[in-house]
Amino acid sequence: HLLLFLLFVGPFNCFASYSRATELFYSLNEGLPAGVLRPPTAGGQPPPAPQPPRSFTLASRGLGGQYVRLDNRSGELHTSAVEIDREALCVESSGATVFGGAAAVSSSSSPSSESCLLLLDVISSSSSPSSESCLLLLDVLVLPQEYFRLVKVKIAIRDVNDNAPRFPVPHIHLSVPENAPVNTRLAIEHPALDPDVGTNGVQTYRLRDNYGVFTLDVEENESGERTPYLIVMGALDREAREEYVTVIVAEDGGTPPLVGSATLTIGISDINDNCPQFSDSQLNVTVYGNSSLGTHVVTVHAVDMDLGSNAQITYSYSQKVPQPSRDLFHLDESTGSITLSSKVDGDTPRLHRLIILGNGPGCIPAVITVLVTIIKVMMRPPEVVPRFIANEAEGVVYLKELEPINTPIAFFTIKDPDEKYKVNCYLDGDGPFRLSPYKPYNNEYLLETTKPLDYETQQLYEISVVAWNSEGFHVNKIIKVQVLDDNDNSPVFSQPLIELSIEENNVPNAFLTKLHATDADSGERGQVSYFLGSDAPSYFSLDKTTGVLTVSTQLDREEKEKYRYTVKAVDSGFPPRESIATVAITVLDKNDNSPRFINKDFSFFVPENFPGFGEIGVISVTDADAGQNGWVALSVLNGSDIFVIDTGKGVLRAKVSLDREQQSSYVLWIEAIDGGDPALSSTAKITILLLDINDNPPLVLFPQSNTSYLLVLPSTLPGSPITEVYAVDKDTGMNAVIAYSIIGRRGPRPESFRIDPKTGNITLEESLMQNDYGLYRLLVKVSDHGYPEPLHSTVMVNLFVNDTVSNESYIESLLRREPDISIEEKQPQISIEPTHKKMESASCMPTLVALSIISLGSIALVTGMGIYICLRKGKKHHRADENLEVQIPLNGRINLHMLEKKPVEISNI
């Protein structure tokens, strides 16, 4: 795509020292993108020497400045963001069209001669624009003042094939006479137009279907315009085919070529190349001698295949027809009707030969012979003379429908012209009519109706008044009765209830149905218009003329499933009549709603040890769709090995019993999928929290054995902590609140030790005396506060009061003995809620006294501690084995006879 390069070069700086280089010519293709630049090439020469800075500016912002952008520092010209469209800029078809602009250039010093030579190479390689060029003009100023120069830049916009030929009208009509000779040329008055020029303009025309009788030729005038000509290549006959419809295609010379087309209708005009012709050469008719004047004898008819004036036929007698025959029989020259024009008497010839000519323009007349035989009758027929009361014209009586019964139509006078015979009459034909004598006259008869006429039942009646004399001679008087329509019928819908269905989410202005109502009346009285009833929603539309019912908006079945309203059909009579039908529309469901959980997050509280497959909770989910689209299936996305959900009822169950101590909560994701195609789904989060039940007794962690023991020195001060019992409970809440109590004691003075019910700390209550030495065994009960029944464990705490442990085997033998301890049934008293002591108000003096006593006691305590430490250093070697414990396994409701007694060495507390 080398045509995408751009021309614009910026060597304007050398013009400051080369006075003759004042004009530059460039050319570029239209439609190039923004920012295209073509830098100059020096033909392998080294780059020019560095030049001092210059500035380039446009002298004015004309139209040309919209399409190019000048770099003020480098002098480069680029295409701008505005695309160049040659056809929009240069609307003239010939001559150069110019659009201007200007620029300025400045420099601090003279450019080098090497740069000027480079510019001259570019100028010499440019060519002057042709007379048909579309030019953009720019005036560039070179600054500063000492190098001032005005440079004129001409940019020729080259045409590209971006426009297809287009005919000014979509349908072209051309008339060709049917006798046009071969090679007849007819100019097509609407040639195709192409804004492109040169070879990109229209070059050729062709017919998509020439039917074997047409072709196209193109002629070019002095100005270069090409006009297509239709050439007749074969014989034409309008009577065989009166019209040819094809497509004319115009093609330009671009690469690739573009085409445009229009419908070409070639009408074959008629010429008088056919003459009238009779289907028969002779007709034989008979006329009675007593026929009345105006009696129709016969009608001749010729045919001409041409059109219009070329097919006009007139009828005339041949010169061979004698004058008496012409006087007896009248020939209508337009219709060819022959009637009796004079009375037949005894001298009238019995045979008449009528030669009739069918005359057409420029044609030899067609000939037909009519042989008329007259049968002579001795008596004259009766006469029937009508006198019409109703409106009558040319033998046709006009009556409105719904006229009342006995509406008079006409009087008839019946008489015998010879006055020799008695004449009677009667009415012949079907219809609600009656012919009766009109009293007191003997030969007068009244024709009247017997019931109302109905236009919709029958519009035309033909009846005859027949008169006959006593000799049996009959005469018929034919009367036609035309019934006139009245607006006596309302429009009738094809069905009173119109049931429709449409899928929801329909496109706007969707077609629903076409209403149809008929009106038996004629003319405007039978023209039906359609209207919506007042109960129809505003988004339904009904075309007044066609009856097409549409809906202008999308329907949502979930919002409303049924629509029911009325429509009216109104005729154009006066006063108008109308009828009403009901439209019932059912909106069909589409799967456009996902299943919807009542809550996005469900939480269920379940007691632990809940039985397997018990009902944990119900997951409520709905789907606004109907039928299969609204059927919802539930499934567990995670944890399906433990939990299962009932799709029909939404009941969540656990397959196994749940233990809170193993896992206190579960988070599940439940997916709901509907039955649509494609299916829609949604998810919800389920949190299952296990409620604790008291199923775990406290677990004693310290001491670890019932046979461990601890050495307590006799010098231990009262209130000093001795050891502790530490237990935990796997349950939670009140089930895990632990209380400690001593339920059994044995020793020299067992009440010397107490246990804190909250912490399990065992402290010395009283000072130990010489008589208090020995082994103390305390049975500690560790109980929780579970409901409905607390659980507990027991542990034996062994304390050996002595200065040293001199005989371990003796102590161990004592521990192995079964303790003789009586169980105290005393519940530990423990407050679950923290207590707050109230500080009683006191005066300052008691407070100072108390602080003084505490200070003195602290000094004494520190002194005593120092002495005690010094004494312990001297006995360090005797203390290595004095702290021993025995651990026992924890067991709720411990059996003291089953205690395992295993000594374990522990650190001193």
Side-chain angles (χ1 to χ4, degrees), residues 41-118:
T41 57
Q45 299 178 5
Q51 302 176 12
R54 289 165 297 280
S55 67
F56 306 83
T57 59
L58 289 172
S60 65
R61 290 285 178 179
L63 181 61
Q66 299 179 12
Y67 299 99
V68 297
R69 178 173 54 83
L70 175 64
D71 191 306
N72 294 335
R73 301 177 64 182
S74 66
E76 293 179 342
L77 282 173
H78 298 259
T79 54
S80 68
V82 180
E83 183 178 300
I84 299 176
D85 185 0
R86 185 185 183 281
E87 288 72 36
L89 288 174
C90 307
V91 295
E92 299 180 8
S93 60
S94 63
T97 305
V98 179
F99 299 91
V105 185
S106 67
S107 174
S108 59
S109 62
S110 300
S112 66
S113 60
E114 191 172 358
S115 298
C116 291
L117 289 175
L118 175 60

Side-chain angles (χ1 to χ4, degrees), residues 89 99 135 147 405 444 460 496 549 676 708 734 752 821 891:
L89 288 174
F99 299 91
L135 298 179
Y147 304 111
I405 300 176
E444 297 289 343
L460 182 64
L549 181 64
S708 63
M734 295 297 296
S752 300
I821 299 176
N891 190 9

Side-chain angles (χ1 to χ4, degrees), residues 693-698 729 731 735 737-739 781-793 892-893:
I693 63 174
N694 194 28
D695 59 344
N696 291 281
D729 196 314
D731 296 322
N735 296 332
V737 176
I738 298 175
K781 179 180 180 181
V782 182
S783 176
D784 61 23
H785 283 66
Y787 179 83
E789 181 181 357
L791 301 179
H792 69 273
S793 300
R893 300 183 179 89

